[in-house]
mmCIF file of all heavy atoms in Angstrom:
data_model
loop_
_atom_site.group_PDB
_atom_site.id
_atom_site.type_symbol
_atom_site.label_atom_id
_atom_site.label_comp_id
_atom_site.label_asym_id
_atom_site.label_seq_id
_atom_site.Cartn_x
_atom_site.Cartn_y
_atom_site.Cartn_z
ATOM 1 N N THR A 234 -55.429 117.631 -186.417
ATOM 2 C CA THR A 234 -56.444 118.636 -186.838
ATOM 3 C C THR A 234 -55.917 119.386 -188.070
ATOM 4 O O THR A 234 -54.694 119.528 -188.246
ATOM 5 C CB THR A 234 -56.684 119.690 -185.726
ATOM 6 O OG1 THR A 234 -55.448 120.306 -185.342
ATOM 7 C CG2 THR A 234 -57.353 119.149 -184.502
ATOM 8 N N GLN A 235 -56.840 119.839 -188.851
ATOM 9 C CA GLN A 235 -56.547 120.753 -189.946
ATOM 10 C C GLN A 235 -57.664 121.823 -189.898
ATOM 11 O O GLN A 235 -58.754 121.529 -189.527
ATOM 12 C CB GLN A 235 -56.595 120.033 -191.287
ATOM 13 C CG GLN A 235 -55.414 119.116 -191.524
ATOM 14 C CD GLN A 235 -55.614 118.211 -192.749
ATOM 15 O OE1 GLN A 235 -56.634 118.313 -193.407
ATOM 16 N NE2 GLN A 235 -54.631 117.396 -192.968
ATOM 17 N N ASN A 236 -57.237 123.049 -190.260
ATOM 18 C CA ASN A 236 -58.251 124.101 -190.215
ATOM 19 C C ASN A 236 -57.816 125.257 -191.147
ATOM 20 O O ASN A 236 -56.873 125.974 -190.831
ATOM 21 C CB ASN A 236 -58.342 124.628 -188.785
ATOM 22 C CG ASN A 236 -59.471 125.580 -188.635
ATOM 23 O OD1 ASN A 236 -59.631 126.487 -189.422
ATOM 24 N ND2 ASN A 236 -60.283 125.369 -187.597
ATOM 25 N N ASP A 237 -58.441 125.314 -192.318
ATOM 26 C CA ASP A 237 -58.058 126.338 -193.297
ATOM 27 C C ASP A 237 -58.168 127.714 -192.765
ATOM 28 O O ASP A 237 -57.262 128.559 -192.988
ATOM 29 C CB ASP A 237 -58.910 126.189 -194.560
ATOM 30 C CG ASP A 237 -58.446 125.054 -195.469
ATOM 31 O OD1 ASP A 237 -57.389 124.465 -195.127
ATOM 32 O OD2 ASP A 237 -59.104 124.789 -196.477
ATOM 33 N N THR A 238 -59.277 128.009 -192.055
ATOM 34 C CA THR A 238 -59.476 129.407 -191.549
ATOM 35 C C THR A 238 -58.352 129.769 -190.621
ATOM 36 O O THR A 238 -57.736 130.826 -190.752
ATOM 37 C CB THR A 238 -60.817 129.512 -190.878
ATOM 38 O OG1 THR A 238 -61.822 129.177 -191.840
ATOM 39 C CG2 THR A 238 -61.068 130.922 -190.341
ATOM 40 N N LEU A 239 -58.067 128.922 -189.630
ATOM 41 C CA LEU A 239 -57.030 129.222 -188.678
ATOM 42 C C LEU A 239 -55.634 129.281 -189.310
ATOM 43 O O LEU A 239 -54.802 130.142 -188.956
ATOM 44 C CB LEU A 239 -57.037 128.255 -187.513
ATOM 45 C CG LEU A 239 -58.304 128.289 -186.576
ATOM 46 C CD1 LEU A 239 -58.192 127.211 -185.551
ATOM 47 C CD2 LEU A 239 -58.401 129.660 -185.886
ATOM 48 N N GLU A 240 -55.390 128.303 -190.222
ATOM 49 C CA GLU A 240 -54.052 128.236 -190.843
ATOM 50 C C GLU A 240 -53.797 129.453 -191.712
ATOM 51 O O GLU A 240 -52.657 129.892 -191.808
ATOM 52 C CB GLU A 240 -53.931 126.903 -191.616
ATOM 53 C CG GLU A 240 -53.580 125.766 -190.688
ATOM 54 C CD GLU A 240 -53.855 124.345 -191.303
ATOM 55 O OE1 GLU A 240 -53.692 124.234 -192.521
ATOM 56 O OE2 GLU A 240 -54.186 123.445 -190.546
ATOM 57 N N SER A 241 -54.838 129.953 -192.375
ATOM 58 C CA SER A 241 -54.604 131.061 -193.291
ATOM 59 C C SER A 241 -54.267 132.349 -192.517
ATOM 60 O O SER A 241 -53.735 133.307 -193.068
ATOM 61 C CB SER A 241 -55.787 131.291 -194.237
ATOM 62 O OG SER A 241 -56.917 131.677 -193.450
ATOM 63 N N ALA A 242 -54.609 132.370 -191.226
ATOM 64 C CA ALA A 242 -54.355 133.546 -190.414
ATOM 65 C C ALA A 242 -52.921 133.527 -189.795
ATOM 66 O O ALA A 242 -52.512 134.486 -189.178
ATOM 67 C CB ALA A 242 -55.410 133.670 -189.286
ATOM 68 N N LEU A 243 -52.218 132.412 -190.013
ATOM 69 C CA LEU A 243 -50.870 132.330 -189.455
ATOM 70 C C LEU A 243 -49.837 133.163 -190.244
ATOM 71 O O LEU A 243 -50.004 133.353 -191.440
ATOM 72 C CB LEU A 243 -50.390 130.861 -189.441
ATOM 73 C CG LEU A 243 -51.110 129.910 -188.500
ATOM 74 C CD1 LEU A 243 -50.588 128.491 -188.764
ATOM 75 C CD2 LEU A 243 -50.898 130.292 -187.066
ATOM 76 N N GLN A 244 -48.806 133.561 -189.557
ATOM 77 C CA GLN A 244 -47.643 134.160 -190.257
ATOM 78 C C GLN A 244 -46.986 133.054 -191.117
ATOM 79 O O GLN A 244 -47.023 131.925 -190.738
ATOM 80 C CB GLN A 244 -46.619 134.680 -189.281
ATOM 81 C CG GLN A 244 -47.121 135.747 -188.312
ATOM 82 C CD GLN A 244 -47.571 136.983 -189.020
ATOM 83 O OE1 GLN A 244 -46.891 137.425 -189.961
ATOM 84 N NE2 GLN A 244 -48.689 137.569 -188.618
ATOM 85 N N PRO A 245 -46.326 133.467 -192.221
ATOM 86 C CA PRO A 245 -45.663 132.416 -193.026
ATOM 87 C C PRO A 245 -44.617 131.726 -192.114
ATOM 88 O O PRO A 245 -43.942 132.369 -191.293
ATOM 89 C CB PRO A 245 -44.949 133.230 -194.135
ATOM 90 C CG PRO A 245 -45.150 134.659 -193.816
ATOM 91 C CD PRO A 245 -46.259 134.827 -192.828
ATOM 92 N N GLY A 246 -44.539 130.361 -192.227
ATOM 93 C CA GLY A 246 -43.562 129.670 -191.425
ATOM 94 C C GLY A 246 -44.109 129.186 -190.086
ATOM 95 O O GLY A 246 -43.544 128.273 -189.495
#
Side-chain angles (χ1 to χ4, degrees):
T234 56
Q235 286 170 1
N236 189 313
D237 279 355
T238 300
L239 292 176
E240 279 161 32
S241 66
L243 291 175
Q244 301 296 321

